[in-house]
Amino acid sequence: MARRILVPVDGSENALRAADFAAGLAESSPGTEVTLLHVCSGPEACAMPGRANWFSREKWEVEIRAHAEAILRRAERPFKARNLTPVTLIKVGDPAGTIVEIAGEEGYNQIVMGSRGLSNVKGLVLGSVSHKVISLSGVPVTIVK
């Protein structure tokens, strides 16, 4: 059975370090499949600076997809530097719940994620999403700081 790693990314520095860590794991273990996942919980949670007014659901979907793709492109860099190609995935939903659901349903062996994301709450060593994922996951979770 091939090793499958799920790496949730939100554009934060910790998430990018987690992607780099996962790329190193994949490089050292040929045949490892890595999926970079970006989860957006809705227009208000995924709004980009200067983009507060959405005109329609369709416009929101186009803008969010572009934003998510930009985050995923940044997270792909350490893989490309190692001549590896991760799978990329964009989902809408509760971040922690979606991460755990995908990991379980899609047969991932491991989740690798940053310790804290883009939250405005400073000083938390472990963010609320990573804490929930650790609590709910049925597969091993590696937290990268």
Side-chain angles (χ1 to χ4, degrees):
M1 177 194 220
R3 183 177 187 183
R4 299 184 73 216
I5 302 172
L6 182 64
V7 184
V9 293
D10 63 0
S12 68
E13 289 304 314
N14 284 337
L16 295 175
R17 282 192 287 278
D20 184 55
F21 181 83
L25 292 175
E27 182 179 41
S28 67
S29 181
T32 297
E33 176 189 320
V34 177
T35 299
L36 298 173
L37 168 67
H38 179 74
V39 181
C40 179
S41 58
E44 56 288 333
C46 294
M48 285 94 37
R51 307 281 177 118
N53 296 321
W54 300 99
F55 298 106
S56 67
R57 174 126 182 116
E58 293 79 23
K59 179 156 178 66
W60 175 80
E61 288 173 356
V62 168
E63 294 284 341
I64 292 309
R65 177 158 293 280
H67 181 65
E69 288 171 352
I71 289 170
L72 290 168
R73 277 193 304 276
R74 284 186 65 206
E76 285 178 306
R77 289 178 188 161
F79 293 89
K80 292 186 186 275
R82 293 171 169 93
N83 293 318
L84 300 170
T85 306
V87 173
T88 59
L89 186 60
I90 300 169
K91 292 289 185 179
V92 175
D94 167 64
T98 301
I99 293 163
V100 170
E101 181 180 313
I102 289 171
E105 290 180 2
E106 302 295 327
Y108 286 91
N109 311 98
Q110 182 178 10
I111 299 170
V112 174
M113 63 189 299
S115 60
R116 219 171 49 78
L118 293 174
S119 168
N120 290 330
V121 181
K122 301 286 186 197
L124 287 180
V125 173
L126 195 61
S128 62
V129 173
S130 52
H131 185 267
K132 286 179 191 174
V133 169
I134 289 169
S135 299
L136 299 173
S137 179
V139 301
V141 179
T142 300
I143 301 296
V144 178
K145 190 171 176 183

